[in-house]
Amino acid sequence: MIRQTAGLVIFIVISLIFLNKTVAQKGDFLPSSYEVVWNSPSFDSFDNMPLSGCKGAGANVWMQNETLWLYLAHNGAYSEDETLLKLGAVKIRPVGIPLGKIKDFKQILDLQKAQITISFTAQDETNLNLNLRYVGENLTITAKTSKPVSFDVSYGNWRTTKSEAFSINKNGFSFLHRNQNSNFTLKQAANQNIPENSLDNAVKDRISGGFITARGGLNFVAAGDQTWQKWSGKAFVARTKNSTNHLMVIATGAAKNLQVANLEKHAVELCDEINLNTALEKENKRWKAFWQRSYIKINSDAGANDSAFQIGHNYQLFRYMLACNSEGEFPLKFNGGIFTVEAYGNKKYPHNNEGMSAIKDADPDYRRWGNMFMAQNQRWLGWPAVAGGDDDLMNVSRKFYRDRYTAAKQRAKNLGAEGACFVEPLSLAGLCCVAPNKLGTCNAPHLKYHFVMGLENAWQALCMNSNTNVDIRPDIPWMVDVVRFYDSFYQNKNREKSGKPLNDKEKLVIYPCNGLELTGNATNPVETVAALKAVINGLIKSKDLSIADKSYLTNLQKRIPELPVTTKNGVSILNLADTWEALYNGWELPELYSAWPYRLIGITKPGTAQIGIDTWNSLTPRGDGDPGKLLCKYDYSWMPTLADMAALGLTGEAGKRAIAKLSYQAKASPDLRFTAYFGPGHDWMPDHNWGGSGMVGLQEMLMASDPFGDGKIYLLPAWPKEWDVDFKLYAPKQTIVEASVRQGRVVSLKVTPGERRKDIVINTGFKISDN
């Protein structure tokens, strides 16, 4: 399937000047067909469009009953009990003109500028044009009308605790949530033997909220109890002055000891036209750089009825949604990010294998699986940034582990081990948040010894460093200590069992261990062995490793057991583990972690893919779930099947799974209007681990490379020949690959730096352009 020839290298050298120009032009702008255009207003909040800011700020935007609705959000808005809160709701409605049946409605999301425009004509032929756009964490709303009108600006909040505060002054009004204490986190820590000084107590002294103002001022109108959408609460109404040209600004923020006065200051400053234009120009440059940094555009001229076009469109839409957390403080949450809305008991929730049919009405702070950071799900919000070159999005994932490293060391100490132990799942503070015990680990049998996600996050950091040269020196200590924990903890466990730290082959015995959420009391589970092999090798080859740590890891590398292999129907396949005593979550597919993300088999190791393919073909139902259903081969939500098939070079399997994962049909709930609002799958909407796993799989179909392997970059390993594509992605050794493919022919290719051209290996199913 894959070959490299001298002719290919000659083609690249001869064609490079022409091809570079072609690729650069293609990368300048997104296709105009990627705009999202709605020609009718929305029915309710499920019909919203996401508007992305940065540093965690964003909003759900929709037009309903002639009123502009906003659900304001910030990814730093954590409450006293570590719940991610919405900032509140805002309604903006024109006053003084007959509305009723409006006409010529249009709502457009312009991805290139990250802005939403809304236009319509009222019954008296008054034309209204709205433009919404973030400037950093601050939302700007301009309104132009064909005759002078006023707007009622209403703020509403469904929460009634003493943490909520609202105030009015001459410039506008503020809304705040001030965390009253951090007793919830401190109590959890004490119950798990994690001292307060080991905690990253993120909710202590945290304030979130905003300030609303308008050019020309706001006149307070009314306050009182209101029922909005499916919830009731307090509402406050102010009115703008009559004009044909309005500007409203909502400054938002969330941080420890947030400087509340700065919210008002920023809002008022942006009402000045010069300040606003300067800020918008800065935003234009930021978004242009973002879109040019990387992209995947498929069948760009085919139109919205083409499934491959839909895949490329949704890839960009979801990357835009992730971009709200550029330079953020915490990772986005897998179960909705910041773009959740309230739950409706009367909506349709496909893939509701886990009780979604019982969903009842709930306010906009609701999300299934609530407060947890389930790392096996969270990983899908970090991995897309590796090939995308988006460290401004991925760095929060490393920071999350770095800031919780001290608590993880205390947990290892509780277990009588050295190193650092990150359990599954973690709370915001880095504590166990499901069935915790006094040692700080989980009592649930399918999670009791589930420690492997610390290893995967270390591997993710190593891959990002290889692709972009991002500085991971601050992370090396926790990365090494995650490995050290396995060595120390399992030597102790084997000593307790046999009197010796290692087995007779001088190998580490990883027992008792969970194999993801599938195997219980397993010995040497396959994904754990694969993770240790990959991470140790990557750390040893890292230029940032100390001499002492390199010596330690080089010796440990010899003690890591081999991948568990068995025979089935006469062929060798990867096994779940050497042994196991129980099976739990049948959705898991741990065997193919060896192909992706750890690349021990598959495309990047020529000659090794067959054992992965045979393993895939031999799978039978196992563990909990619907009897007789092979759950681990499903594609929705966090399922890794698309990335797995691509990593094994199975083009047909990957193609159909890309359609299932990222086309418009992947918008599982028919009540959701925005096509990249995936889900609900196992979790909540918009399902971020669904979108992230789809992005990674699509990247893997186009390009694969082991950062610590043979140095080769394998192009188009699982790409359907009938899909035209332009892409720009990041590869190991700080390499950028830009290419265009038309009708099964590579028509342009640029590799930066140029010396990496010799390492390009192209799928032999594709022809190479000779012009």
Side-chain angles (χ1 to χ4, degrees), residues 153-362:
V153 182
S154 307
Y155 171 82
N157 192 318
W158 46 92
R159 297 183 297 270
T160 58
T161 69
K162 62 182 180 180
S163 298
E164 308 300 322
F166 181 89
S167 63
I168 306 166
N169 66 26
K170 63 179 181 178
N171 289 322
F173 49 91
S174 67
F175 50 93
L176 299 171
H177 179 99
R178 295 178 182 269
N179 286 355
Q180 299 297 303
N181 57 60
S182 56
N183 293 340
F184 174 86
T185 300
L186 295 177
K187 182 178 180 181
Q188 295 292 318
N191 289 339
Q192 298 179 41
N193 195 28
I194 306 291
E196 184 177 355
N197 61 8
S198 296
L199 282 178
D200 180 56
N201 193 344
V203 301
K204 184 179 180 182
D205 302 321
R206 183 161 292 270
I207 304 172
S208 56
F211 189 91
I212 304 176
T213 191
R215 183 182 290 159
L218 284 171
N219 295 316
F220 185 72
V221 176
D225 296 332
Q226 295 286 339
T227 297
W228 291 5
Q229 301 296 328
K230 288 285 187 177
W231 50 269
S232 298
K234 294 285 185 182
F236 305 86
V237 186
R239 183 168 295 173
T240 67
K241 293 181 178 180
N242 246 27
S243 177
T244 59
N245 193 345
H246 294 263
L247 171 64
M248 291 152 274
V249 180
I250 308 174
T252 67
K256 281 193 168 193
N257 298 305
L258 178 72
Q259 297 301 303
V260 175
N262 285 341
L263 296 175
E264 180 177 353
K265 178 176 179 287
H266 293 154
V268 171
E269 286 177 347
L270 285 171
C271 285
D272 177 84
E273 187 170 355
I274 294 176
N275 291 339
L276 178 61
N277 289 338
T278 300
L280 288 175
E281 183 58 33
K282 184 178 179 181
E283 285 297 299
N284 289 340
K285 292 178 180 178
R286 182 174 74 87
W287 281 102
K288 183 177 181 180
F290 176 77
W291 293 121
Q292 290 185 339
R293 188 187 304 153
S294 68
Y295 50 82
I296 298 174
K297 298 178 282 190
I298 311 169
N299 288 3
S300 295
D301 299 325
N305 291 325
D306 179 76
S307 59
F309 170 89
Q310 295 172 9
I311 291 167
H313 189 205
N314 270 347
Y315 176 95
Q316 301 287 21
L317 289 177
F318 193 72
R319 184 166 175 254
Y320 156 80
M321 289 166 59
L322 296 180
C324 74
N325 206 33
S326 174
E327 302 177 14
E329 183 181 4
F330 305 112
L332 291 169
K333 290 182 68 65
F334 69 94
N335 49 352
I338 65 167
F339 294 116
T340 54
V341 298
E342 59 264 77
Y344 291 79
N346 61 347
K347 298 289 187 183
K348 297 177 181 178
Y349 300 98
H351 306 314
N352 58 348
N353 61 292
E354 295 172 340
M356 289 191 190
S357 59
I359 292 292
K360 298 180 180 180
D361 290 352

Side-chain angles (χ1 to χ4, degrees), residues 455 458-459 462 479 483 530-540 598:
L455 289 171
W459 177 242
L462 287 164
M479 294 161 65
V483 175
L532 285 167
K533 284 181 174 292
V535 173
I536 292 171
N537 182 48
L539 284 170
I540 289 172
Y598 297 120

Side-chain angles (χ1 to χ4, degrees), residues 660-715:
K661 201 80 165 177
L662 284 176
S663 72
Y664 294 169
Q665 76 180 47
K667 180 179 68 62
S669 174
D671 292 315
L672 291 167
R673 192 173 190 180
F674 190 71
T675 61
Y677 278 177
F678 306 113
H682 302 278
D683 306 310
W684 193 234
M685 305 171 297
D687 188 336
H688 278 43
N689 45 205
W690 185 321
S693 58
M695 288 181 71
V696 170
L698 198 65
Q699 294 166 348
E700 195 75 11
M701 291 170 69
L702 286 165
M703 188 177 76
S705 184
D706 182 352
F708 307 104
D710 62 7
K712 305 301 182 186
I713 301 171
Y714 297 86
L715 290 191

Side-chain angles (χ1 to χ4, degrees), residues 439-457:
L439 298 176
T441 59
C442 181
N443 278 330
H446 67 298
L447 298 172
K448 189 172 184 178
Y449 297 104
H450 189 323
F451 310 133
V452 74
M453 299 316 297
L455 289 171
E456 183 169 341
N457 276 271

Side-chain angles (χ1 to χ4, degrees), residues 2 14 25 35 103 129 147 181 224 496 498 514 524 531 568-569 617 625 631 727 734:
I2 304 291
I14 293 174
Q25 289 175 340
E35 289 185 342
K103 60 182 180 180
N129 294 276
K147 78 173 191 180
N181 57 60
E496 291 172 6
S498 69
N514 286 101
N524 300 335
K568 188 173 184 179
N569 299 323
N617 291 334
L631 301 178
F727 70 89
Q734 294 91 63

Side-chain angles (χ1 to χ4, degrees), residues 405 420 472-482 484 549:
Y405 174 36
I472 61 169
R473 286 174 294 179
D475 300 288
I476 291 291
W478 70 260
M479 294 161 65
V480 172
D481 267 353
V482 165
R484 195 188 311 276
D549 282 341

